[in-house]
Amino acid sequence: MSEFFNYALDNLNYGWVYFLMLLESTVIPVPSELVVAPAAFNAAEGAMNVWLVILFATIGADCGATVNYVAGYYLGRPIIYSFANSKWGKMCLLNQKKVEQAERYFDDHGAVATITGRLVPGIRHLISIPAGLARMNYWRFLLFTTLGAGVWNCILAALGWWLHTFVTKDELNGKIEEYSDYIKYAILLAVIIAMLYFMIKYMIKRKK
């Protein structure tokens, strides 16, 4: 399986970007940083178009998220938990605790979690499952997922484009891993600040 992913990453095109991001948005551990950022790096070299990279990455994310949404909607919690605790679930680095964590995030933040959850490490690829379990309206879910995935893909594309200015192809993956950690922490902080802002605003409005 690792040879398959290495081949795909070494031969990135729009089709591979779409397919890998589809997998990343299900339960298969494909790091989006190592898909979108290198594709944007290739775009900076003239091999691809950065806007098409973002488009295909976002469509792929939408399709993968829809798979999780449908699974949550039709299979229900017992089967989802059973899969998460199975051998196949563990191969996907999945367990019941991670699914429950995504459910708590969705319960705490409501429908907007499908936007902010796409930006939170460890939650991003699972947030669609509780949306399905809660039977959230699909078109609303798709809109929010597209917004969240689009923002994340734009950030990764900007990273890949920027790295092209001073990093060689051989150094790229190492630098992506280095800078993506900072990006994750910054986004997590931004999400927390945004949530606090809306909570305080809501409380003040309710008090009035």
Side-chain angles (χ1 to χ4, degrees):
M1 186 65 77
S2 61
E3 291 181 3
F4 166 77
F5 286 125
N6 288 335
Y7 173 82
L9 293 172
D10 288 339
N11 296 274
L12 276 178
N13 54 36
Y14 302 121
W16 281 124
V17 169
Y18 163 81
F19 182 66
L20 291 174
M21 291 301 290
L22 183 153
L23 295 181
E24 189 267 347
S25 286
T26 57
V27 294
I28 298 175
V30 178
S32 56
E33 300 92 322
L34 298 182
V35 178
V36 180
F41 185 96
N42 291 345
E45 292 186 328
M48 302 174 76
N49 181 292
V50 70
W51 298 111
L52 290 179
V53 167
I54 294 170
L55 176 63
F56 279 92
T58 303
I59 293 173
D62 282 345
C63 291
T66 296
V67 171
N68 281 0
Y69 172 90
V70 169
Y73 193 100
Y74 289 105
L75 298 182
R77 191 172 282 102
I79 295 178
I80 295 293
Y81 284 177
S82 178
F83 173 79
N85 292 323
S86 70
K87 179 178 71 174
W88 293 103
K90 288 179 173 58
M91 286 177 63
C92 295
L93 306 180
L94 193 63
N95 56 50
Q96 183 174 327
K97 184 178 179 181
K98 290 182 178 179
V99 178
E100 289 175 340
Q101 182 183 9
E103 285 191 81
R104 283 195 298 271
Y105 186 90
F106 185 86
D107 291 340
D108 291 342
H109 301 95
V112 75
T114 51
I115 298 179
T116 59
R118 300 293 309 184
L119 306 174
V120 179
I123 297 291
R124 184 168 61 248
H125 66 297
L126 297 177
I127 196 63
S128 307
I129 294 176
L133 290 172
R135 297 182 175 268
M136 179 180 176
N137 177 273
Y138 175 72
W139 298 110
R140 191 181 183 205
F141 160 80
L142 185 61
L143 173 62
F144 287 2
T145 298
T146 301
L147 291 173
V151 169
W152 177 243
N153 291 329
C154 284
I155 292 170
L156 293 181
L159 174 64
W161 191 278
W162 175 63
L163 288 176
H164 179 265
T165 61
F166 65 95
V167 170
T168 66
K169 193 87 170 181
D170 294 335
E171 301 172 318
L172 180 60
N173 285 352
K175 285 294 182 182
I176 288 172
E177 292 176 359
E178 176 185 341
Y179 284 100
S180 64
D181 286 337
Y182 295 122
I183 290 174
K184 287 176 183 176
Y185 294 135
I187 289 175
L188 190 57
L189 179 62
V191 169
I192 292 171
I193 292 172
M195 287 301 171
L196 287 173
Y197 169 77
F198 286 114
M199 284 176 61
I200 293 170
K201 187 177 180 180
Y202 171 76
M203 290 173 67
I204 292 173
K205 186 177 180 181
R206 188 177 180 184
K207 199 170 183 180
K208 288 181 178 179

